[in-house]
């Protein structure tokens, strides 16, 4: 009898060992699917989780963060509405991680480990773009108690109109870029503003993308049954509305935006529009109160929608006092049916962006949009920027507050609500229809400081090793000083102009033009000498 019990015990032990969950067989894929987009070399996270040794060393912390709901960061309530590429873990995945860690985090057979994802060394998630535009090197001027809001108007010098299929915002320094709003300026109506430090971006130009920590690239479906995109007129300028938070003073940034275009002549692309459809710019939240802000669209909630729309994504936005968000559409007349759009029960200021609906959401004629956010302006809020609490109103600084809900949308077509966007976006990874072009055929040129009475730094970018000419000209087109002539390797380059001509004599104050010539193409930049 004892031998029978011993045999049974041994079989149970062996069965338990064979059923034990391992990194290779059970955990690696969960980590690859939900964590490594941030936790890889060069990613925005402070450490990598690309290998077993990486994960093993952080196993206890991973277990804690997963069970607390902090990681992977995902704010929407999945029981309220569904989004593409949701990062929330299932109860089964959480149980797998718990069992694995509790068992000592065994590796298992390394040969069973699934292939790890490959990330672009430039941290470009969507691969090589068709066009890449970046701001000049900028050092944050955020001082104590004041964030730094600046806007850059960057020319594309792109000679043909294009249709954008994907946009990827790549922070030059992820540690200080709180958010970026990206606009198209087709008629050069909005200039660079790096002096007021409160530039929130244009209100009358089309918004095409937004970035905040944790947000994904803006990618539109490109399949036989559904093509979506945004028109980019020839020779447009791109407006970067940058937000650098308090504490970032003196730190350098060089944020870049990569664009992926449809091939020329592509037909049937449905145009996408983005706007802060729900907003309130005049609210205030008294100190030591928990209060709410809400808004209707159409404003006041008295009139319903007059055109059927299809909603592609939603982007609620608040600051540090935010506690929760809920947005839905409601029928203007009985039975007052609701279309749930997003519920964020626990607002996280550090993780926000455009959430793409798993299925296109039909907003029918007769419905109206409603959004509401709760704000905690008491000492019970550990993120309250003021102690003691102060009265807070709408403003640009992180220590102010906002209530905005952006939507990306388009005109409705029959059957839109049946389209699974999640599956469509998983079918594609844009790689560029042509080799990368920086602004115009590989050209990018800027200068700083501007105006200047000392050295002027000129910064330029070449996608390919090639012969170039870089010189300074006066307003009559006469060459003042030749800076560079000859073969130059690809990449970013810097050179300086000391304000002298080719004879070594200081030039008079005034306006001069730097001119970069590459393969028959020319790009210029105005320089002011004081």
């Amino acid at each position: 009898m004892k031998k029978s019990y011993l045999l049974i015990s041994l079989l149970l032990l062996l069965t338990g060992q064979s059923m034990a969950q391992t990194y290779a067989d059970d955990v690696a894929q969960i980590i690859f699917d939900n964590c490594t987009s941030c936790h890889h070399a060069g990613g925005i996270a402070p450490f990598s989780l690309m290998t077993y040794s990486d994960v093993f060393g952080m196993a206890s912390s991973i277990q804690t963060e997963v069970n607390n709901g902090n990681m992977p960061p995902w704010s929407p309530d999945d029981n309220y509405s569904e989004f593409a590429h949701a990062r929330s873990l299932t109860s089964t995945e959480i149980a797998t991680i718990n069992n694995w860690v509790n068992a000592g985090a065994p590796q298992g057979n390394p040969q069973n480990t699934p292939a790890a994802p490959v990330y672009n060394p430039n941290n470009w998630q969507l691969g090589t773009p068709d066009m890449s535009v970046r701001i000049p090197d900028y050092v944050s001027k955020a001082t104590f108690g004041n964030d730094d809001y600046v806007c850059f108007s960057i020319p594309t010098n792109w000679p043909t109109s294009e249709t954008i299929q994907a946009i990827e915002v790549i922070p030059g320094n992820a540690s200080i870029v709180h958010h970026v709003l990206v606009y198209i300026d087709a008629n050069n109506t909005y200039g660079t503003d790096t002096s007021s430090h409160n530039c929130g971006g244009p209100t009358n130009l089309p918004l095409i993308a937004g970035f905040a920590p944790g947000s994904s690239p803006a990618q539109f479906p490109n399949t036989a049954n559904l093509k979506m995109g945004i028109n980019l007129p020839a020779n447009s300028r791109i407006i970067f509305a940058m937000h650098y938070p308090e504490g970032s003073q003196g730190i350098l940034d060089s944020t870049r935006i990569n664009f992926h275009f449809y091939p020329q002549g592509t037909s049937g692309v449905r145009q996408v529009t983005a706007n802060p459809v729900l907003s309130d710019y005049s609210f205030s939240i008294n100190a030591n109160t928990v209060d709410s802000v809400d808004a209707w669209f159409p404003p006041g909630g008295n009139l319903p929608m007059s055109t059927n729309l299809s909603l592609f994504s939603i982007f609620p936005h608040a600051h540090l006092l935010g506690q929760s968000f809920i947005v839905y559409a409601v029928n203007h007349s009985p039975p007052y049916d609701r279309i749930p759009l997003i519920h964020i029960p626990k607002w996280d200021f550090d993780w926000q962006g455009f959430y793409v609906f798993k299925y296109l959401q039909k907003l029918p004629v007769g419905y109206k949009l409603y959004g509401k956010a709760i704000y905690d302006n008491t000492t019970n809020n550990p993120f309250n920027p003021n102690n003691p609490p102060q009265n807070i109103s709408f403003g640009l600084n992180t220590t102010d507050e906002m209530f905005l809900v952006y939507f990306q949308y388009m005109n409705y077509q029959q059957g839109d609500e049946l389209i699974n966007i999640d599956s469509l976006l998983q079918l594609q990874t844009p790689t560029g229809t042509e080799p990368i072009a920086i602004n115009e055929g590989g050209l990018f040129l800027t200068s700083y400081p501007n105006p200047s009475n000392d050295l002027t730094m000129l910064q330029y970018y070449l996608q390919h090793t090639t012969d170039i000419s870089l010189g300074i000209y006066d307003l009559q087109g006469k060459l003042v000083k030749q800076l560079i002539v000859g073969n130059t390797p690809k990449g970013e380059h810097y050179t300086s102009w000391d304000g002298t001509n080719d004879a070594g004599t200081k030039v008079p104050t005034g306006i001069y033009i730097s001119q970069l010539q590459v393969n028959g193409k020319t790009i210029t930049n105005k320089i002011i000498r004081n």
Side-chain angles (χ1 to χ4, degrees):
M1 183 65 69
K2 289 184 178 179
K3 290 183 178 179
S4 298
Y5 282 130
L6 180 61
L7 180 60
I8 292 172
S9 299
L10 181 59
L11 288 173
L12 290 174
L13 178 61
L14 291 174
T15 301
Q17 288 178 341
S18 65
M19 295 294 290
Q21 289 165 314
T22 67
Y23 171 80
D25 292 313
D26 306 288
V27 175
Q29 195 64 60
I30 298 174
I31 300 296
F32 292 159
D33 290 344
N34 298 281
C35 307
T36 58
S37 61
C38 294
H39 289 273
H40 66 268
I44 65 173
F47 54 87
S48 174
L49 293 175
M50 292 294 293
T51 67
Y52 168 70
S53 60
D54 291 338
V55 177
F56 180 81
M58 301 298 296
S60 179
S61 296
I62 291 172
Q63 183 181 32
T64 299
E65 293 300 313
V66 163
N67 283 287
N68 287 342
N70 296 328
M71 290 289 163
W74 183 252
S75 298
D77 177 359
D78 292 329
N79 294 318
Y80 189 77
S81 55
E82 293 184 297
F83 293 99
H85 303 326
R87 288 193 300 266
S88 55
L89 299 183
T90 66
S91 57
T92 300
E93 290 171 325
I94 294 173
T96 296
I97 290 174
N98 282 326
N99 293 337
W100 174 69
V101 175
N102 293 339
Q107 181 177 15
N109 184 349
Q111 294 183 350
N112 293 345
T113 305
V118 177
Y119 294 101
N120 185 286
N122 294 316
N123 204 28
W124 296 356
Q125 296 182 45
L126 298 183
T128 304
D130 297 303
M131 182 179 77
S132 188
V133 180
R134 58 160 285 178
I135 64 172
D137 285 355
Y138 179 77
V139 176
S140 171
K141 307 301 190 299
T143 57
F144 180 76
N146 291 286
D147 293 11
D148 191 12
Y149 283 82
V150 295
C151 295
F152 295 91
S153 174
I154 305 297
T156 62
N157 296 307
W158 197 266
T160 57
S161 295
E162 305 288 349
T163 302
I164 300 168
Q165 194 259 314
I167 307 168
E168 184 173 4
V169 180
I170 302 168
N173 189 327
S175 68
I176 67 166
V177 177
H178 173 261
H179 78 240
V180 185
L181 296 176
V182 186
Y183 303 82
I184 293 176
D185 185 1
N187 299 308
N188 192 15
T189 60
Y190 197 87
T192 294
D193 179 0
T194 58
S195 58
S196 71
H197 306 293
N198 63 0
C199 181
T203 59
N204 59 343
L205 295 177
L207 174 74
I208 58 171
F211 168 87
S215 60
S216 300
Q219 185 180 6
F220 300 113
N222 175 16
T223 67
N225 296 326
L226 178 64
K227 297 181 187 296
M228 298 169 55
I230 298 174
N231 283 341
L232 177 69
N235 294 308
S236 292
R237 301 176 77 91
I238 303 299
I239 307 300
F240 294 66
M242 307 292 304
H243 175 192
Y244 302 104
E246 177 186 352
S248 62
Q249 183 178 20
I251 301 177
L252 180 70
D253 177 50
S254 54
T255 290
R256 179 186 300 279
I257 302 175
N258 287 346
F259 293 86
H260 300 261
F261 300 142
Y262 282 94
Q264 283 283 336
T266 301
S267 60
V269 180
R270 297 172 62 184
Q271 285 299 304
V272 178
T273 301
N275 282 307
V277 176
L278 294 171
S279 62
D280 188 334
Y281 298 96
S282 60
F283 68 88
S284 61
I285 304 169
N286 292 334
N288 302 305
T289 64
V290 176
D291 205 348
S292 65
V293 178
D294 63 0
W296 290 92
F297 185 85
N302 297 319
L303 296 173
M305 297 295 300
S306 58
T307 302
N308 291 330
L309 297 177
S310 290
L311 305 180
F312 177 72
S313 71
I314 185 172
F315 179 179
H317 180 62
H319 289 177
L320 297 171
L321 299 184
Q323 296 294 293
S324 65
F325 247 108
I326 190 166
V327 183
Y328 54 82
V330 61
N331 199 346
H332 187 64
S333 57
Y336 301 113
D337 294 328
R338 288 188 181 186
I339 302 172
L341 297 176
I342 194 168
H343 177 218
I344 299 179
K346 184 181 178 182
W347 177 256
D348 189 338
F349 174 70
D350 292 322
W351 296 95
Q352 49 183 304
F354 280 98
Y355 296 99
V356 176
F357 294 108
K358 183 174 182 178
Y359 289 85
L360 289 175
Q361 296 294 299
K362 180 182 179 181
L363 183 60
V365 169
Y367 279 68
K368 47 191 178 175
L369 290 168
Y370 177 75
K372 180 179 180 179
I374 305 297
Y375 299 86
D376 185 347
N377 193 11
T378 73
T379 55
N380 293 327
N381 180 359
F383 304 106
N384 196 325
N386 300 303
N387 189 12
Q390 301 176 14
N391 293 344
I392 297 294
S393 58
F394 181 92
L396 294 178
N397 285 340
T398 303
T399 51
D400 300 319
E401 262 306 335
M402 287 189 176
F403 177 87
L404 298 169
V405 183
Y406 290 87
F407 285 91
Q408 289 179 312
Y409 56 92
M410 59 187 179
N411 290 330
Y412 173 80
Q413 291 185 10
Q414 186 69 33
D416 274 356
E417 66 271 33
L418 303 178
I419 298 175
N420 187 325
I421 298 297
D422 201 1
S423 63
L424 296 185
L425 292 182
Q426 290 174 351
L427 294 176
Q428 54 190 304
T429 300
T431 56
T433 56
E434 300 287 346
I436 184 174
I438 306 296
N439 290 45
E440 181 186 20
L443 304 186
F444 172 87
L445 175 65
T446 190
S447 60
Y448 59 92
N450 198 2
S452 173
N453 57 9
D454 195 7
L455 282 179
T456 298
M457 294 300 299
L458 287 88
Q459 175 186 357
Y460 59 101
Y461 186 98
L462 301 174
Q463 179 56 29
H464 307 286
T465 299
T466 186
D467 289 331
I468 73 166
S469 172
L470 176 61
I472 306 296
Y473 294 78
D474 62 22
L475 291 180
Q476 286 71 47
K478 179 182 178 181
L479 178 65
V480 174
K481 187 162 187 173
Q482 187 71 56
L483 299 176
I484 297 173
V485 174
N487 193 262
T488 305
K490 69 177 182 180
E492 290 179 324
H493 299 275
Y494 301 84
T495 191
S496 63
W497 178 42
D498 61 3
T500 64
N501 58 25
D502 280 329
T505 304
K506 283 285 185 180
V507 300
T509 60
I511 298 175
Y512 295 84
I513 304 297
S514 60
Q515 178 175 287
L516 177 64
Q517 294 179 317
V518 179
N519 297 326
K521 298 178 180 178
T522 300
I523 187 170
T524 60
N525 181 69
K526 181 171 67 175
I527 297 176
I528 301 175
R529 298 289 300 181
N530 289 336

